[in-house]
Structures are given as structure tokens and as C-alpha cells.
Amino acid sequence: MDSAETYQQLCNYVRESALLHSAASVLEWEEQTYMPPAAGEYRSDQLSLLATMSHERATAPQVGEWLDTLADSDLATDPANPASAVVRELRRSYDRQTKLPLKLVAALARATSRGQQVWTEARKENDFAKFAPYLAEIIKLKREEADAVGYTGCRYDALLDDYEPHATAAEVGPVLKSLGESLVPIVAAISESSQKPNSEIFNRDYPIDMQTSFGQAVATQMGFDFRSGRLDVTAHPFCTTLGPHDVRLTTRFDTTDLRPGFFSILHEAGHGLYEQGLPSEDYGLPTGESVSLGIHESQSRMWEILVGLSRPFWNHFYPKLQDAFPQSLADTPLEEFYFAINESTPSLIRVEADEATYNLHILIRFELEVALLEGDLDVDALPAAWNEKYRKYLGIDPPNDAMGVMQDVHWSAGMLGYFPTYSLGNLYAAQFFAQAHEDLGDLDGQIARGEFAPLLDWLHTNIHQHGQRYPASELVQRITGRPLSSEALLKHLKDKFGELYRL
Amino acid sequence: MDSAETYQQLCNYVRESALLHSAASVLEWEEQTYMPPAAGEYRSDQLSLLATMSHERATAPQVGEWLDTLADSDLATDPANPASAVVRELRRSYDRQTKLPLKLVAALARATSRGQQVWTEARKENDFAKFAPYLAEIIKLKREEADAVGYTGCRYDALLDDYEPHATAAEVGPVLKSLGESLVPIVAAISESSQKPNSEIFNRDYPIDMQTSFGQAVATQMGFDFRSGRLDVTAHPFCTTLGPHDVRLTTRFDTTDLRPGFFSILHEAGHGLYEQGLPSEDYGLPTGESVSLGIHESQSRMWEILVGLSRPFWNHFYPKLQDAFPQSLADTPLEEFYFAINESTPSLIRVEADEATYNLHILIRFELEVALLEGDLDVDALPAAWNEKYRKYLGIDPPNDAMGVMQDVHWSAGMLGYFPTYSLGNLYAAQFFAQAHEDLGDLDGQIARGEFAPLLDWLHTNIHQHGQRYPASELVQRITGRPLSSEALLKHLKDKFGELYRL
């Protein structure tokens, strides 16, 4: 059998695995949206069986044999051939999954399941000491995971790689650090500014029917195709893909504040546009999948923040928004609205943070999880270290651990190495957006006319259509001609908040 | 290994199969309710893979070996042991599936897929000749299926058994025939009666929100548990079970007529109450599953017709219905409403038929499909035979084949032997309901007070809790002390329509 045939067999096999995996995604989506409450236990059993079957397929020795056969083939070694990226990424994923001893996988599943339960209780009771031994166990197991998976730089790289393939702490760390150092004085200046927006409009009446139809209309205008997708309501917004023409967005609505519902729709639609832009004929193969969590987040944050919180965007949409909610917004001029949605202030909770302060929350977590993993910080000393960094970077004192070190689910779920992808998303987004401005000429004008096709085409050409053809760092270099840097994001923040807060 | 261990292994295996099968049911439900239009093709691929996996599991030689091992065990041969029913039904299902040659399964899949496509077109074009050769091919293959599966009485039995296990044409045929003979003069008398209801109220305004909440409130009062179920909207109403505590009902609404929405909810909730009443600890095993399509339909028809179209039911609910739709119903007295929902008239279309005429539609189909299968009727002669029977039994002339012999999807989908289960449902329902009246004393009074718990408890004790412990004919004998008969149904129809139409 020649390597073309082997490659075909491998691809057929992986596509069939995607059928099974996406079936599980339908069950997960339904669990979050419509499933009746008493059905949860059996749904877990269904998902557990499907996960086991998927894992067995993914780690089948046959896959390793196909990959070995292809390793030195022309097909896999010619970077000009997209098949080389398919083989590279399938190898990466196969190695990662087969290198983990089943015993460790089971121990991690137990520790993180229990960890999340205890975290929920401990957070409610504001009792970090209760959670500490479970977190310590999770960190011990994550170290073992990193050692089993292997790394060349530091242990942290092995975990980061699970969310941001091919990235390393050595590459990402300095960028996050330099971003943070520049943000601290900006955030402080905003805090001290005498300019304050009037956010009283976010305690008015916004009927949910109208929020839904307005949000859907905007997502449609951005280019999201509702023939191949839906919008539903869940406790926490998300985007998930159930098939090559099936992208599901969710949001949550607040009847007195349109921001949570609307900006979640923009954020998730940003993810959804990426998913809808991936080549559907390669669905299930690496060339039909997103590059990394960071690149994915760059798409959601670009639409939510760089487009959706911009003045040109509201030049176009604000009159329509006023028409949709005349009782709540007719008396508020555009400039007042624009300042109100862009209010910035140091705050305790990451998920509620504005774009100027957000990345400091991430830097704190990144520094702490690296220290925990490398053994430079004990779990018992974590709350003090957390509070110290909040004082230093954001100038605020967490009043307790529930609103401090225990606010996020990630560590209790074993997701160490995940947080940086949020900031990477913001960095990539700004760097791409600056390049799009250069390439498209009058991007602001297009947005102000409600024309989103040029930007979406640009994203499709430069990012979406390639799937995992290029790792994130290579993609950034290809598109912008330079490596990842904090420059574009800092320029954007300085310009925008400098003007708003008259810094 | 002793037989108890073998039995345990078999049960574990079958329960795991149910996880996979019910996962597919989630995907099917979602396809009908919420899936975006462009996602259909991939959904078919997902379902096709899951069906293949389920079939492989169900026909695995290991299952046959377990069943062989258990065949002569105490466990399987003691009728007092519920395990005997589990082994009996798993054997029945295993034999049926393994006896069908894969070549025949594939040929049937092709013929019925194509058959349905051609049927859709031919019906639209009113061109039976176009459909005829495809129907002939399907009947030829269904004969082969019957021969492969085997039978002791006649070929038809092998097909009927797929929908109504253990039933035979020799047992069912005479009951349907005697029912039909008695119905013909009743239906004729109704037609000739000078009494006519005023159905003008079914062309008024019934907002869908209110229809939904009213229907859900009634289903809840009947005992349907919405913590373990839902109601959604689909093109065609159905009930499906996605897990031991997860029963989904659907309906469709007409904004000017409350009947389609409301009575579909009652019908599907009747199915749903059966599903919620099955022993959840046996979910996936025969003792946790419904007896047959006929017994299932007896539950839906009892709640829809015998309860939901009764005077006591509306004594209780009509004031509430008037409160829900005051503009449309405030001026209509109860008696007028009661007559209007019970209007009976010979009609062309089975799915729109009232309870007095419905079973004649079934008898016609039953007689024709037996004749087709046994070779007593050629497909070319089918339309003439159909029209002849509609004249004879219902006194009406189908104006064309689209509204005549091509109105149902069943035959084009290879579902021969399915139709009788509709009438069996009506017959079982009436026979059970008469027995419930005897056992519960004042059932009419309970219903008139909106107390449905006694009836539901009776159904649970006598039917639901047993799963497939007893075949349908044995169940009827156990509960009512006599075999299946048309007596109870005829008495009900004569009493009810005799009074309404003053016969």
C-alpha cells in the first residue's frame, strides 16, 4: 500500500471519529439548553460511554501504525502539502493521548471531579483551607501529566500545549509580562481620571424578545449564517460546533441591562464565524479545525471588543438600537452610550473585567500557575500571593478568597495552562486587526456603514480557510510580518482610553 | 460461570447498548425540533454511524452465546421470574435481527429510501403508476423478509410481529373484521342523523402561548412529570424517550383551532405517561420497555379519546378553557363545545378521522396489505380495490389516488403490518378503560373532579410497571379476564354517538 492510500485510510478513520465525537457534542449542547432536570444522570452515562469509545478510537494502535508509515513520506515531509499539517497534528494528538498512562488519566478524572465539587462548596463557604489539599493533589497530578507528555523547555509547556499547540512559556511569558508592565500605569491613570461615564442606562427595561431579535440581526449582518447555526439561551454563554454546517451560539439575557446578552452574542458569533469559515470539506481533519484556543479567542474578542465596542460600529447600530428600545435609550446620545459601554475600572472578578484591565487578571493567574507547577509556590501560600498581585497590578484588595483566588473554576478542573490563551486571544486580535486596517484601507468606514463582508473576507482568507495548516506563531508571522507582540494591543488601548478618559 | 453471572453480563451489555441507542434518539429528537436546516446531511451521517454500531452490538455472536447458555436455565424457564421475560424478548429480537441477510437489509434500505422519494413525488403528481413498480419491489422484499424471519401461521405474521410482538393475523384479523362489520351501520346512521354540531368555534383566535401553557397544565394534572420531560413543537407530533427520566413530547399548533395542538398533547402525553411509568431501574432491558405499538397506542388513545373527549373531562376543564380563551369561547356553552369536538363524519384521510370512523380506515389498509403480501392482490389493482372498500365501508368515493391509496407514508417506507396496531390501540384502550371503570368505581366522577391519579395508578399497577413481562394478548387476559374483543369499544361508541346524534 502506498502512502497516498495509507493517508486516505487514516483520514477516513479520523472523519468517522469526528462523527462520533460530534454526536457527543449534540448531547452536551442539549444538556445545556433543553434537557429536563431529572435527565442529567443518564446523560452523563451516555456521554461517558461516547467519550470512552472516542478515546479508544483515538488511541488505537492502528492509528500509530498509519502515522509511522507516513512519517517519512513525501506527503508528510513537504510543507507545501496540506497533508503534512494533517499528519503533524494527528501525530501530536496521538502522542499526547497515548503517552498518558490510563492510571494517571483515571486519577486526574477523579481528582478534578472531586476538586470541582469541593471548590464549589469551599467558594460558597469562603474556606480556601478546605480546597487546598485537593488543589495540591491536582497540581501534583498535572506535574505527572507534564512529565508523561514530555517537554523541551519547562514543565508548563507540556500543559500549555494542550490548549495552545506548539506555544511555550519562553515565547508567551515575556509578551504577557511586557503587556502587564505597560498596562499597570494605564489602568492607574484611568482610575484617577475625573471623567466618568453615566451607566444609569444599564438599569432600564430591555425586553428579551427584542434583545434576541436585535442580537440575531447584528450577528446576521456580521455574516453569521443562521441556516447553519442557532442562538439559544444557557446559564453561561458558549459556542459549539456539532457538524460542518452546524454552529451553535448561546447567550444569557438580563432584562434590565442589554450588555451581557448583546456582547455575549457578538463574542460567541465571533467564535461561530471562525467555525463557519473553516473548510467544511475537511471537517474532522486538522485542516478543518481551529488552530488553538488563543486564535479562536482572537476571533471572538475581535468582534466583541475591537468591532463591537468601537465608535464606528455604534455610529451604524446605535440609531437601530434606539429604535429597538425607545423607552430606555431615546434620551441618551450616542457619545454617552459609547462611553458607558466602555467604562473601565479595576475590579475583582475576571469575567466581569473590561478590556483595559482584563489582561492583568490573566497575568496574575499565569504567573501563579507557573510558580505552582514549577514548585516555586506552595498551595498554602497561594491566597497571599494572589492578593499581593491584585494590589500590585490592579491596586485593589480582594476582601476574601471566594472573590479572590477561588473565583475561577479552571484550576479545580485541572485546567492549568489555559488562562494565557485568553490574553493570547486579545493580543492576536489586536495584531490581526491592525493588519486588517492596513490591508483594507478604510475598515473604520466600512464598519460605520455596517459593511462587515470585507473584514470577514480578510479573516477567511488569512485565518479561517487554513484550519491548522500553520501553528499560531507561524500564522501571526505570516499575516502580520512579525512575531507575537503587545504593541498593537497597547496602542489600541492607549488611543481608545486616552481619548475617553482624557489621559 | 453460572447462569446468574451470564445473565448479569448479558444485562450489562444490553444496558450499554441502550446508552448508545438513546444517544441516537437525542440526535433524532434534536433534528426534528431545533437543528438548523443546513445541518441535515451531516446529522444523517452521524445517525447512520450510530445505527451501524447499534446493529453490530445487537447482532454480536457473543449475545447469541449468552442466550444459548441461558436457554435451559431455571432463570429463563421459570415464568415467575422476570428474567424469563428478559431472555424471551432478547432472544426474539436477536433472532429477528440475525436471521435477516445483510444483503436483504441493504436492499430494503435502498428500496424504502427510494420508495419514499418516489411516493412523495407521485402523491404530489397524483400518479400511482409512477409509484407502483417501487411498491411492488418493496412488497417482494417484505415477502423475503417474512420468509427469512419465519412464521408458523401466515407470512403476514412475521411482519406484524415486528410491531406487535407475538400477535398473529389469525388472532387479530377476526377482531378487526367484526369491529368493522358493526361499525359500518353506526357510521351510516351518524351520517344520516339530522343532528349536527356547530364547529364555527374552530375558526377563532387561540394564541399559541396560551395553548402551550394550557396544554402543559392539563398534561401536568394528568400526571406527566415535566422534570423528566418536555414539550416542544414539530411538524408532526411525536413522543420519544431519551433516557429513564427523559420523555419528550411534541405537538403542532394552529392559531385558529385549538384541537390539533391540544389533542396531540393529550395523545403524546398518554404515550409519555406510559414511558414515565416503566420501571426506570430496568431502562434498556425488555422489562423496562413498552409491550408493543398496540399497547402503547392504547395509552395515548385512552388519554386523548376516552378521557380527553369525554363529558366528565370537559365538565372539569371547560371553565378553565373559557378563562384561557375568553374572546373565543365565552359565548359557547359546554354542551355545544362537547358536541363540536366530537363531530363524526366519514372522511377521506385517516389521520383526520374521528374515533367512530377511524377503525374503518385501518380495516381497509389491513385487508389490502394482507392481500398484497399473500399474493391475492396485484399492486396494479390496488387503487381500484382501495376505492371499492372506501365506498363499501365509509360510503365515500376518493376523488383521486393522492387522497386515496397514496395518502399514507407507511407502505413506501416498508412498514407493512404496522396499521393494525392503531386499531389494536383503540381496542385495548376501550377494554382497559371499561375494566378501570369497574375497578375504580366512580372513574367518571374522579375525572369530572380533575382527579387523574386513580386512573394513572391503575394503569401503572396493571400495565406500566410490567414492561414486557407479559405479551400483549396475555396482558389483556390478565387485566380484563377475557381475550381481545371489539365489545368494549363498540359499546363505548354506540353509547356516546347514540346520545350525541340521537340514533
Side-chain angles (χ1 to χ4, degrees):
Chain A
M1 194 163 56
D2 67 13
S3 54
E5 274 178 73
T6 304
Y7 180 71
Q8 201 50 56
Q9 287 196 329
L10 174 64
C11 288
N12 290 346
Y13 181 90
V14 171
R15 284 175 192 272
E16 195 167 293
S17 301
L19 282 170
L20 193 63
H21 185 263
S22 61
S25 300
V26 176
L27 269 70
E28 286 169 333
W29 172 88
E30 211 275 335
E31 180 173 3
Q32 300 299 321
T33 49
Y34 295 107
M35 190 187 75
E41 196 180 329
Y42 195 75
R43 184 58 56 87
S44 298
D45 293 343
Q46 293 170 318
L47 285 168
S48 167
L49 175 67
L50 293 175
T52 303
M53 292 168 82
S54 279
H55 183 76
E56 277 168 11
R57 283 188 66 94
T59 57
Q62 172 73 75
V63 177
E65 287 160 27
W66 280 324
L67 289 167
D68 289 344
T69 305
L70 291 169
D72 301 317
S73 67
D74 291 348
L75 215 136
T77 51
D78 175 11
N81 189 336
S84 67
V86 171
V87 174
R88 179 192 76 221
E89 291 303 323
L90 291 179
R91 176 96 247 171
R92 199 189 132 270
S93 159
Y94 179 78
D95 285 353
R96 185 165 189 106
Q97 292 191 69
T98 51
K99 277 179 182 171
L100 287 177
L102 282 180
K103 221 180 122 182
L104 178 58
V105 172
L108 268 163
R110 269 194 309 276
T112 54
S113 167
R114 188 80 188 111
Q116 286 174 80
Q117 289 162 15
V118 175
W119 167 76
T120 306
E121 296 162 18
R123 187 168 74 147
K124 205 177 289 172
E125 297 157 15
N126 189 31
D127 183 359
F128 181 79
K130 183 174 185 172
F131 176 49
Y134 295 89
L135 180 57
E137 172 69 11
I138 288 167
I139 288 163
K140 177 180 147 281
L141 291 170
K142 294 300 282 188
R143 276 198 203 114
E144 290 177 29
E145 179 183 329
D147 292 343
V149 169
Y151 49 87
T152 47
C154 63
R155 260 198 190 123
Y156 189 81
D157 294 348
L159 303 184
L160 178 61
D161 185 79
D162 203 16
Y163 308 109
E164 196 67 16
H166 312 288
T168 62
E171 170 206 356
V172 167
V175 182
L176 296 186
K177 200 167 170 55
S178 93
L179 173 65
E181 280 166 2
S182 305
L183 282 177
V184 169
I186 298 174
V187 166
I190 292 172
S191 279
E192 287 154 19
S193 166
S194 61
Q195 299 295 312
K196 298 286 170 211
N198 176 5
S199 58
E200 182 268 327
I201 50 166
F202 301 127
N203 194 17
R204 294 186 179 173
D205 194 31
Y206 300 94
I208 286 177
D209 281 2
M210 191 52 85
Q211 287 197 56
T212 305
S213 59
F214 187 80
Q216 280 178 323
V218 173
T220 301
Q221 197 166 334
M222 278 159 54
F224 186 80
D225 179 2
F226 279 98
R227 277 185 48 82
S228 304
R230 285 183 55 85
L231 172 70
D232 294 275
V233 172
T234 51
H236 301 284
F238 63 86
C239 168
T240 183
T241 295
L242 311 185
H245 302 285
D246 196 351
V247 178
R248 307 295 176 100
L249 317 178
T250 78
T251 190
R252 58 178 160 194
F253 292 111
D254 180 334
T255 53
T256 63
D257 185 352
L258 56 78
R259 290 172 300 178
F262 183 74
F263 290 106
S264 291
I265 291 174
L266 290 204
H267 183 95
E268 303 309 335
H271 284 304
L273 288 169
Y274 187 8
E275 291 289 316
Q276 289 190 336
L278 291 165
S280 59
E281 66 279 12
D282 281 6
Y283 184 81
L285 300 178
T287 39
E289 281 174 8
S290 59
V291 174
S292 68
L293 289 188
I295 296 295
H296 228 310
E297 194 74 2
S298 78
Q299 302 304 291
S300 56
R301 294 293 271 184
M302 185 183 297
W303 289 101
E304 175 196 1
I305 307 274
L306 301 178
V307 175
L309 285 172
S310 74
R311 191 177 270 116
F313 182 87
W314 290 109
N315 279 337
H316 177 73
F317 280 116
Y318 191 61
K320 295 170 183 29
L321 189 73
Q322 287 181 305
D323 286 348
F325 305 102
Q327 291 187 319
S328 296
L329 294 175
D331 62 351
T332 304
L334 169 60
E335 275 306 312
E336 203 175 309
F337 176 81
Y338 174 67
F339 196 7
I341 57 174
N342 279 298
E343 179 170 19
S344 175
T345 182
S347 64
L348 282 166
I349 307 295
R350 175 185 62 86
V351 297
E352 297 165 4
D354 60 80
E355 61 171 316
T357 57
Y358 187 88
N359 295 295
L360 290 172
H361 293 265
I362 298 302
L363 179 62
I364 290 168
R365 287 153 177 79
F366 170 69
E367 291 179 347
L368 291 172
E369 65 182 14
V370 168
L372 285 166
L373 201 80
E374 303 295 333
D376 299 332
L377 176 65
D378 274 349
V379 166
D380 292 342
L382 177 60
W386 177 282
N387 295 342
E388 163 63 24
K389 284 186 190 286
Y390 264 79
R391 270 191 295 276
K392 187 172 149 199
Y393 295 160
L394 284 155
I396 53 175
D397 259 310
N400 57 50
D401 291 336
M403 298 179 80
V405 70
M406 286 196 291
Q407 68 181 260
D408 297 304
V409 70
H410 299 61
W411 290 337
S412 73
M415 294 156 78
L416 282 96
Y418 191 111
F419 282 122
T421 68
Y422 293 119
S423 278
L424 286 171
N426 293 323
L427 290 160
Y428 293 143
Q431 202 162 334
F432 291 150
F433 201 59
Q435 188 65 42
H437 268 280
E438 268 189 45
D439 293 352
L440 295 172
D442 186 29
L443 178 54
D444 279 348
Q446 291 158 2
I447 293 175
R449 290 189 298 276
E451 296 165 13
F452 299 105
L455 176 59
L456 185 56
D457 286 348
W458 187 92
L459 293 170
H460 188 258
T461 304
N462 287 286
I463 301 169
H464 303 178
Q465 66 164 334
H466 300 303
Q468 294 181 354
R469 180 79 189 272
Y470 312 106
S473 60
E474 192 180 335
L475 191 68
V476 173
Q477 181 75 46
R478 281 177 62 94
I479 297 172
T480 68
R482 66 191 77 177
L484 177 71
S485 126
S486 59
E487 200 183 314
L489 180 56
L490 282 167
K491 179 172 185 327
H492 159 75
L493 292 172
K494 278 181 193 160
D495 288 352
K496 177 172 182 176
F497 290 93
E499 188 226 33
L500 277 170
Y501 283 92
R502 304 202 190 151
L503 306 182
Chain B
M1 194 164 56
D2 66 14
S3 55
E5 273 178 73
T6 304
Y7 181 70
Q8 202 50 58
Q9 287 196 328
L10 175 63
C11 288
N12 290 347
Y13 181 90
V14 172
R15 283 175 193 274
E16 195 166 294
S17 301
L19 283 169
L20 193 62
H21 185 263
S22 60
S25 300
V26 177
L27 269 69
E28 285 168 335
W29 173 88
E30 211 274 337
E31 180 173 2
Q32 299 299 321
T33 48
Y34 295 107
M35 189 187 76
E41 194 180 331
Y42 196 74
R43 182 60 55 88
S44 298
D45 292 345
Q46 292 170 319
L47 284 168
S48 167
L49 175 67
L50 293 174
T52 303
M53 292 168 83
S54 279
H55 183 77
E56 278 168 10
R57 283 188 66 95
T59 56
Q62 172 72 74
V63 177
E65 286 161 26
W66 280 323
L67 289 168
D68 289 343
T69 304
L70 291 169
D72 301 316
S73 67
D74 291 348
L75 215 134
T77 53
D78 175 10
N81 190 335
S84 67
V86 171
V87 174
R88 179 192 76 221
E89 292 302 323
L90 290 179
R91 177 95 247 172
R92 199 188 132 272
S93 158
Y94 179 77
D95 285 352
R96 185 166 188 103
Q97 291 191 70
T98 50
K99 276 179 182 171
L100 288 177
L102 283 180
K103 221 180 123 185
L104 178 58
V105 172
L108 268 163
R110 268 195 308 276
T112 55
S113 167
R114 189 76 189 113
Q116 286 174 81
Q117 289 163 14
V118 175
W119 167 76
T120 306
E121 295 162 18
R123 187 167 74 146
K124 204 177 292 168
E125 298 159 14
N126 187 33
D127 183 359
F128 181 79
K130 183 174 185 172
F131 176 47
Y134 296 90
L135 180 56
E137 171 71 10
I138 287 168
I139 288 164
K140 177 179 147 282
L141 292 170
K142 293 302 281 188
R143 277 198 203 116
E144 289 178 28
E145 180 184 328
D147 292 343
V149 170
Y151 51 86
T152 48
C154 62
R155 258 199 191 122
Y156 190 80
D157 294 349
L159 303 184
L160 178 60
D161 186 80
D162 204 15
Y163 307 109
E164 195 67 16
H166 310 289
T168 62
E171 170 206 355
V172 167
V175 181
L176 296 186
K177 199 167 171 53
S178 92
L179 174 64
E181 280 165 3
S182 305
L183 282 177
V184 169
I186 299 174
V187 167
I190 293 173
S191 278
E192 288 154 19
S193 166
S194 61
Q195 300 294 313
K196 299 286 170 210
N198 176 5
S199 58
E200 181 266 328
I201 51 168
F202 300 127
N203 194 17
R204 293 186 179 173
D205 194 31
Y206 299 93
I208 285 177
D209 280 3
M210 191 51 85
Q211 286 198 57
T212 305
S213 59
F214 187 81
Q216 279 177 324
V218 173
T220 300
Q221 197 167 333
M222 279 159 52
F224 187 81
D225 180 1
F226 279 98
R227 277 184 49 79
S228 303
R230 287 183 53 85
L231 173 69
D232 293 276
V233 173
T234 51
H236 302 283
F238 63 86
C239 168
T240 183
T241 294
L242 311 185
H245 302 285
D246 196 351
V247 178
R248 308 294 175 98
L249 317 177
T250 76
T251 191
R252 59 177 160 194
F253 293 111
D254 179 334
T255 53
T256 64
D257 185 351
L258 56 77
R259 290 173 300 177
F262 183 73
F263 290 105
S264 292
I265 291 174
L266 290 203
H267 183 95
E268 304 309 335
H271 284 305
L273 288 168
Y274 186 9
E275 292 288 316
Q276 288 190 337
L278 292 165
S280 60
E281 65 278 14
D282 282 5
Y283 184 82
L285 300 178
T287 40
E289 281 175 9
S290 60
V291 175
S292 67
L293 288 189
I295 297 295
H296 228 309
E297 193 74 3
S298 79
Q299 303 303 290
S300 57
R301 294 292 272 184
M302 186 184 295
W303 289 101
E304 175 196 1
I305 307 274
L306 301 177
V307 175
L309 285 172
S310 74
R311 191 177 268 115
F313 182 87
W314 289 108
N315 278 337
H316 177 73
F317 280 116
Y318 191 60
K320 296 170 182 27
L321 190 73
Q322 287 181 306
D323 286 350
F325 305 101
Q327 292 188 317
S328 296
L329 294 176
D331 61 353
T332 303
L334 170 58
E335 275 307 312
E336 202 175 311
F337 176 81
Y338 174 67
F339 196 8
I341 58 174
N342 279 298
E343 178 170 18
S344 174
T345 182
S347 64
L348 282 166
I349 306 295
R350 175 185 62 85
V351 298
E352 295 165 4
D354 59 81
E355 60 171 317
T357 56
Y358 187 88
N359 295 294
L360 291 173
H361 292 266
I362 299 302
L363 180 61
I364 291 168
R365 286 153 178 79
F366 170 69
E367 290 179 346
L368 292 173
E369 66 183 13
V370 169
L372 284 168
L373 202 78
E374 302 297 333
D376 299 332
L377 177 67
D378 273 350
V379 166
D380 291 341
L382 177 60
W386 176 283
N387 294 342
E388 162 63 23
K389 283 185 191 287
Y390 264 79
R391 269 191 296 275
K392 185 172 150 199
Y393 295 160
L394 285 155
I396 53 175
D397 260 310
N400 57 51
D401 293 336
M403 299 179 80
V405 69
M406 285 196 292
Q407 69 181 260
D408 297 304
V409 71
H410 298 62
W411 290 338
S412 74
M415 294 157 79
L416 280 96
Y418 191 110
F419 282 122
T421 68
Y422 292 119
S423 278
L424 286 171
N426 292 323
L427 289 160
Y428 295 143
Q431 202 163 332
F432 292 150
F433 200 59
Q435 188 64 43
H437 268 280
E438 269 188 45
D439 293 353
L440 295 172
D442 186 29
L443 179 53
D444 279 349
Q446 291 158 3
I447 293 174
R449 292 189 296 277
E451 297 164 14
F452 299 105
L455 176 61
L456 186 56
D457 285 348
W458 187 92
L459 293 170
H460 188 257
T461 303
N462 287 286
I463 301 169
H464 302 177
Q465 67 164 334
H466 299 304
Q468 296 180 352
R469 181 78 189 273
Y470 312 107
S473 60
E474 193 179 334
L475 192 69
V476 173
Q477 180 76 46
R478 282 177 61 95
I479 297 173
T480 68
R482 64 190 78 178
L484 176 70
S485 125
S486 58
E487 202 183 312
L489 180 55
L490 281 168
K491 179 171 185 326
H492 159 76
L493 293 173
K494 279 180 192 159
D495 288 352
K496 177 172 181 176
F497 289 93
E499 189 226 34
L500 277 170
Y501 283 92
R502 305 202 188 148
L503 305 183

